[in-house]
């Protein structure tokens, strides 16, 4: 996920106890009454406040959509897009009382502002620990060490043998009939290691909340983060004699851009991303971020509850349509199963406040949403990465995300404990984070889908967990060797523990029928 430290890489998993309408699903049924004219606002509406974006979640009564849209207009709102199949409406409004007003309308389940700053907000919120460039000496040494069948920089990719992807590639590179979407900061599909596998028809820009399919709109603009491009290379960089190799180098890649130029992943964009994936044949989505501006969105807050519900509806819709959603667990060293967590970074688009939150009531999403595969990070010695979030009954699987080289040093010829992958303008660099772990799991799922083309999302997830290499808790855990325990791994249900879940993903097992 993004941010190794400050922003944790944005991702999660939602407890079954979340009492949201979304948890029941949404699609035609039910006999709730549509809103009547008496439900519409009648007081004077203020329209000169800061322009904000909102999501309005409605029930599944046949006439609710039309009547709520009338109420939205009467309350000073402008509909940007309506995702009728999941009952989520994206709205812009300059009425400071818009959310409070629209919540009183019959048929509205929840509504909330997706941000705390106006739509023109501009703040840099980078999404990872930082990149490290390859030295010319590393490139030369890697090429000299490459064996027949290896791409030139593959010897530096310790992460591939860590999950047996190098052995899997001897059996298959994955199927061109499988598509993995990178919901992220954009993908530079002109990169020579990505272009052979990129599917422009399955790609879009969802930043506004409404899909834009203008050619190239899914790419990061100049100066924007290369995060999504790095993630894409880990999943599916082509095995073509150039650069690096992905976990599933024979599958298709799609880019769904959901990050603003300033690095924010807002709810309306994330909802758009999952709906686009659901309706365009995407088999796997990778989500290496958390949804801004709240690191944890709490259901006891009317705005935040609406945001979680909107994304929950979207992820469930995608899974119902055949998509497996994978997300990074985050980079804040948090125990996501703790009684309380101190969040000092939310909201991150205006002025953050310090909150003690209950992770059973407040969710890092999409990673903590029901049905989403939540991935923690390991380093080159197969230990939980120093920064990775963890938590019993939260983490599903672990995968290589990299760590500081001094903490977990890879075996030669690899020289850097981070993950090597593609960057913009045809380059390559190292990054570390659960953002880098999640695409390894997504790549293994792509291999599973290639091997079992008719398997449902539930079946693919079950295979992923069953085939993962079990990794017992590593206690005491003192990753920097200073004599202080840095985290405690606890056992959870279904043979999953708090550090590694069901274990480290296994690419070789994924290609065995």
């Amino acid at each position: 996920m993004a941010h190794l430290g400050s922003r944790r890489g944005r991702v999660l998993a939602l407890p079954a106890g979340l009492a949201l309408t979304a948890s029941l699903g949404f699609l035609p049924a039910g006999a709730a009454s549509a809103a009547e004219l008496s439900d519409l606002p009648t007081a004077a509406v203020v329209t000169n406040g800061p322009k904000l974006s909102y999501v309005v979640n409605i029930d599944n009564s046949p006439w609710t959509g039309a009547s709520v849209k009338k109420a939205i207009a009467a309350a000073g709102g402008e509909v940007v897009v309506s995702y009728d199949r999941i009952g989520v409406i994206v709205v812009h409004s300059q009425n400071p009382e818009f959310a409070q007003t629209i919540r009183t309308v019959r048929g509205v389940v929840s509504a909330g502002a997706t941000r705390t700053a106006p739509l023109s907000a501009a703040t840099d919120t980078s999404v990872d620990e930082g990149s490290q460039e390859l030295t010319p000496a590393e490139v030369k040494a890697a090429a000299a060490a490459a064996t027949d069948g290896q791409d030139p920089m593959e010897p530096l990719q310790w992460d591939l043998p860590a999950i047996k992807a190098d052995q899997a590639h001897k059996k298959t590179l994955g199927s061109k009939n499988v598509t993995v979407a990178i919901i992220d900061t954009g993908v530079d599909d002109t990169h020579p290691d990505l272009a052979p596998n990129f599917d422009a028809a399955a790609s879009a820009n969802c930043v506004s909340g409404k899909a834009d399919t203008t050619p190239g709109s899914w790419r990061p603009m100049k100066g924007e983060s290369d995060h999504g491009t790095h993630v894409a290379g880990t999943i599916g960089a082509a095995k073509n004699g150039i650069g690096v190799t992905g976990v599933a180098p024979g599958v298709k890649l799609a880019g769904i851009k959901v990050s603003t130029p300033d690095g924010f992943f807002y709810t309306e964009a994330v909802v758009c991303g999952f709906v686009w994936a659901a309706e365009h044949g995407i088999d796997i989505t990778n989500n290496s971020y958390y949804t801004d501006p709240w690191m944890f969105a709490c259901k006891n807050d009317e705005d935040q509850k609406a945001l979680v519900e909107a994304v929950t509806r979207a992820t469930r819709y995608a899974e119902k349509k055949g998509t497996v959603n994978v997300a990074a667990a985050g980079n804040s060293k948090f125990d996501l199963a703790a009684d309380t967590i101190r969040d000092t970074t939310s909201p991150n688009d205006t002025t953050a406040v310090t909150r003690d939150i209950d992770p059973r009531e407040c969710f890092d999403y999409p990673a903590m949403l029901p049905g989403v595969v939540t991935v923690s990070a390991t380093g080159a010695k197969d230990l939980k990465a120093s920064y990775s979030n963890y938590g019993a009954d939260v983490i599903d699987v672990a995968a290589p995300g990299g760590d500081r080289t001094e903490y977990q040093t890879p075996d030669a010829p690899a020289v850097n404990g981070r993950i090597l992958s593609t960057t913009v303008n045809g380059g390559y660099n190292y990054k570390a984070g659960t953002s880098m772990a999640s695409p390894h799991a997504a790549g293994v799922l792509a291999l599973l889908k290639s091997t079992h083309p008719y398997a449902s999302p539930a079946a693919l997830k079950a295979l992923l967990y069953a085939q993962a290499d079990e990794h017992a808790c590593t206690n005491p855990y003192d990753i920097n060797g200073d004599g202080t325990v840095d985290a405690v791994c606890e056992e959870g249900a279904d043979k999953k523990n708090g550090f590694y879940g069901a274990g480290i993903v296994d690419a070789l097992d994924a290609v065995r029928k």
Side-chain angles (χ1 to χ4, degrees):
M1 18 202 316
H3 330 298
L4 219 170
S6 64
R7 235 182 130 176
R8 304 179 26 216
R10 310 153 149 126
V11 268
L12 355 175
L14 186 66
L18 180 59
L20 297 179
T21 299
S23 67
L24 301 177
F26 185 100
L27 291 179
S33 299
E36 300 173 353
L37 290 178
S38 58
D39 294 313
L40 303 180
T42 57
V45 175
V46 177
T47 58
N48 60 355
K51 189 174 185 179
L52 294 178
S53 180
Y54 298 83
V55 287
V56 179
N57 303 310
I58 63 175
D59 66 28
N60 57 355
S61 170
W63 308 110
T64 297
S67 58
V68 170
K69 288 170 188 174
K70 291 180 181 178
I72 286 170
E78 176 187 358
V79 173
V80 176
V81 62
S82 180
Y83 293 107
D84 296 337
R85 295 295 293 169
I86 61 172
V88 176
I89 305 172
V90 178
V91 179
H92 288 171
S93 179
Q94 290 184 260
N95 177 7
E97 302 298 322
F98 175 79
Q100 182 177 348
T101 300
I102 208 67
R103 288 179 197 131
T104 67
V105 173
R106 187 177 304 176
V108 173
V109 175
S110 60
T114 67
R115 61 194 72 200
T116 62
L119 283 163
S120 60
T123 303
D124 181 14
T125 55
S126 57
V127 291
D128 52 48
E129 182 183 57
S131 304
Q132 289 188 349
E133 301 300 322
L134 281 77
T135 67
E138 287 175 344
V139 175
K140 183 177 180 180
T147 60
D148 289 343
Q150 283 190 318
D151 281 348
M153 296 182 188
E154 193 172 339
L156 301 177
Q157 293 182 270
W158 59 264
D159 48 308
L160 295 183
I163 61 171
K164 301 185 216 117
D166 55 337
Q167 298 177 55
H169 295 165
K170 296 175 183 178
K171 293 181 175 291
T172 180
L173 302 180
S175 170
K176 293 292 185 185
N177 295 322
V178 174
T179 304
V180 183
I182 297 89
I183 301 180
D184 212 299
T185 62
V187 174
D188 181 0
D189 58 300
T190 67
H191 194 292
D193 245 346
L194 302 179
N197 292 339
F198 197 79
D199 185 354
S203 302
N205 183 323
C206 273
V207 174
S208 70
K210 183 177 181 179
D212 173 9
T213 57
T214 303
S217 63
W218 50 78
R219 297 173 191 147
M221 295 187 294
K222 185 177 180 180
E224 291 184 340
S225 174
D226 67 343
H227 189 267
T229 303
H230 195 280
V231 167
T234 296
I235 296 169
K239 198 169 186 63
N240 57 356
I242 299 172
V244 297
T245 299
V247 174
V251 305
K252 288 290 187 182
L253 301 172
I256 304 177
K257 185 176 180 180
V258 297
S259 172
T260 69
D262 305 304
F264 290 105
F265 295 70
Y266 285 119
T267 296
E268 63 270 28
V270 173
V271 168
C272 172
F274 283 115
V275 173
W276 174 270
E279 297 179 347
H280 289 82
I282 301 299
D283 298 291
I284 320 289
T285 69
N286 185 84
N287 302 272
S288 290
Y289 58 90
Y290 69 79
T291 308
D292 299 303
W294 308 96
M295 180 179 283
F296 295 91
C298 300
K299 70 176 185 178
N300 61 359
D301 178 278
E302 292 296 331
D303 283 291
Q304 295 170 43
K305 177 179 74 171
L307 309 187
V308 176
E309 180 161 3
V311 176
T312 300
R313 291 183 179 197
T315 58
R316 290 206 161 188
Y317 179 52
E319 182 160 354
K320 182 174 181 177
K321 298 286 279 187
T323 306
V324 182
N325 301 307
V326 186
N331 305 329
S332 297
K333 311 178 194 177
F334 286 149
D335 180 356
L336 298 175
D339 292 333
T340 60
I341 293 173
R342 177 154 292 184
D343 174 13
T344 61
T345 65
S346 303
N348 61 13
D349 59 351
T350 49
T351 302
V353 297
T354 297
R355 311 182 296 166
D356 288 329
I357 64 96
D358 179 352
R360 283 161 290 277
E361 302 287 329
C362 303
F363 312 103
D364 175 349
Y365 68 107
M368 293 177 76
L369 297 181
V372 175
V373 177
T374 308
V375 187
S376 64
T378 56
K381 297 304 181 185
D382 289 342
L383 297 175
K384 184 188 86 70
S386 56
Y387 52 81
S388 181
N389 286 351
Y390 58 100
D393 300 322
V394 177
I395 301 301
D396 291 311
V397 288
D403 206 347
R404 295 184 181 182
T405 306
E406 60 268 31
Y407 290 171
Q408 301 192 56
T409 306
D411 293 334
V415 295
N416 194 303
R418 293 166 173 81
I419 303 299
L420 178 63
S421 189
T422 47
T423 185
V424 296
N425 301 321
Y428 303 86
N429 63 19
Y430 292 102
K431 295 185 189 294
T434 55
S435 284
M436 284 65 250
S438 180
H440 284 84
V444 172
L445 279 162
L447 293 176
L448 276 168
K449 183 67 173 178
S450 299
T451 307
H452 307 279
Y454 302 110
S456 67
L460 292 172
K461 288 187 286 184
L463 285 168
L464 180 74
Y465 305 153
Q467 294 176 358
D469 294 334
E470 289 186 28
H471 195 312
C473 279
T474 45
N475 291 320
Y477 176 81
D478 176 14
I479 193 66
N480 58 3
D482 66 355
T484 300
V485 172
D486 296 306
V488 176
C489 178
E490 297 181 345
E491 297 294 337
D494 301 324
K495 297 183 179 181
K496 292 181 180 180
N497 64 53
F499 278 11
Y500 310 104
I504 298 175
V505 296
D506 188 323
L508 181 58
D509 280 354
V511 301
R512 290 172 171 160
K513 292 185 179 179

